[in-house]
């Protein structure tokens, strides 16, 4: 195993651990598993902007956090898939868009930055309401749960996530070296 592989695995593990701890803090405060979920850990879904190691880190962290906070098994599966899809989308926005020959259709770095929290917001807003309704049998409609989950995701991923992105961006070379 080379140094780059060790660094990748270490970064993923640290991100997973931080995700679990932040989810437990939000859970203790009653914010992690309600209709409006403000999981502080969801702010970390911005990390694929900096490193691909965040993708497995977020996915594994979400699985562990859902298991250890007492979520139902189907919630663990589908909630973690939502986090994985969001992380993949964020990475794709930040790194996957190739510059076409016509620069008029290529988003600027500033646009990519501001679009980065959108995939986790969308993935969770679409998937989690079905979990709330059909796994937990909560009273309410899917559109209502989409609204409440969407609000929580905007707070977690967009507001907190963008604060985190701009704070980390100043030190990205020191924090995410080797990427």
């Amino acid at each position: 195993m080379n140094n780059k592989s060790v660094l990748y695995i270490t970064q993923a593990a640290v991100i997973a651990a931080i995700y679990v701890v932040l989810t437990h803090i939000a859970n203790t405060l009653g914010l992690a598993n309600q209709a409006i979920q403000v999981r502080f850990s969801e702010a970390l879904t911005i990390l694929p902007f900096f490193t691909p190691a965040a993708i497995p880190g977020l996915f594994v962290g979400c699985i562990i956090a859902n298991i250890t906070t007492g979520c139902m098994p189907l919630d663990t599966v589908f909630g973690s898939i939502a986090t994985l899809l969001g992380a993949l989308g964020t990475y794709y926005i930040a790194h996957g868009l190739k510059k076409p020959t016509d620069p008029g259709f290529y988003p600027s770095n500033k646009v990519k930055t501001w679009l980065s929290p959108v995939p986790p917001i969308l993935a969770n807003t679409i998937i989690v309401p079905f979990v709330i309704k059909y796994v937990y049998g909560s009273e309410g409609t899917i559109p209502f749960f989409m609204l409440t989950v969407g609000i929580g995701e905007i707070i977690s991923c967009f507001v907190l996530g963008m604060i985190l992105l701009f704070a980390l961006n100043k030190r990205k070379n020191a924090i995410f070296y080797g990427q």
Side-chain angles (χ1 to χ4, degrees), residues 101-179:
T101 55
D102 182 2
F105 292 104
Y106 185 72
S108 69
N109 285 338
K110 186 178 272 191
V111 170
K112 286 193 216 177
T113 299
W114 286 100
L115 287 176
S116 291
V118 172
I121 293 169
L122 290 177
N124 283 286
T125 299
I126 292 168
I127 294 170
V128 172
F130 290 94
V131 172
I132 293 169
K133 177 75 174 168
Y134 298 112
V135 173
Y136 293 103
S138 297
E139 296 286 325
T141 64
I142 295 296
F144 172 73
F145 293 135
M146 285 181 163
L147 175 68
T148 60
V149 170
I151 291 168
E153 287 298 310
I154 289 169
I155 293 167
S156 299
C157 299
F158 191 79
V159 175
L160 298 177
M162 291 307 287
I163 291 169
L164 181 61
L165 184 144
F166 288 117
L168 292 176
N169 201 37
K170 296 175 185 174
R171 311 278 286 147
K172 68 182 174 193
N173 293 332
I175 298 169
F176 302 105
Y177 64 91
Q179 297 301 318

Side-chain angles (χ1 to χ4, degrees), residues 13-164:
V14 169
I15 290 166
I18 294 169
Y19 189 100
V20 172
V21 169
L22 290 175
T23 300
H24 276 273
I25 291 169
N27 193 52
T28 300
L29 298 173
L31 300 172
N33 297 309
Q34 305 302 319
I36 296 182
Q37 301 179 11
V38 181
R39 282 188 171 192
F40 307 128
S41 52
E42 286 291 295
L44 300 178
T45 60
I46 203 69
L47 294 180
F49 182 86
F50 298 107
T51 176
I55 297 167
L58 292 168
F59 181 59
V60 171
C62 188
I63 291 169
I64 294 168
N66 284 351
I67 291 169
T68 59
T69 58
C71 293
M72 300 278 285
L74 285 175
D75 184 3
T76 299
V77 169
F78 289 104
S80 300
I81 288 171
T83 298
L84 176 62
L85 293 173
L88 288 168
T90 297
Y91 183 81
Y92 180 75
I93 285 173
H95 303 282
L97 296 174
K98 303 297 180 208
K99 193 167 187 171
T101 55
D102 182 2
F105 292 104
Y106 185 72
S108 69
N109 285 338
K110 186 178 272 191
V111 170
K112 286 193 216 177
T113 299
W114 286 100
L115 287 176
S116 291
V118 172
I121 293 169
L122 290 177
N124 283 286
T125 299
I126 292 168
I127 294 170
V128 172
F130 290 94
V131 172
I132 293 169
K133 177 75 174 168
Y134 298 112
V135 173
Y136 293 103
S138 297
E139 296 286 325
T141 64
I142 295 296
F144 172 73
F145 293 135
M146 285 181 163
L147 175 68
T148 60
V149 170
I151 291 168
E153 287 298 310
I154 289 169
I155 293 167
S156 299
C157 299
F158 191 79
V159 175
L160 298 177
M162 291 307 287
I163 291 169
L164 181 61

Side-chain angles (χ1 to χ4, degrees), residues 3-15:
N3 287 343
K4 196 161 187 155
S5 297
V6 172
L7 178 63
Y8 182 91
I9 292 167
T10 303
Q11 287 178 344
V14 169
I15 290 166

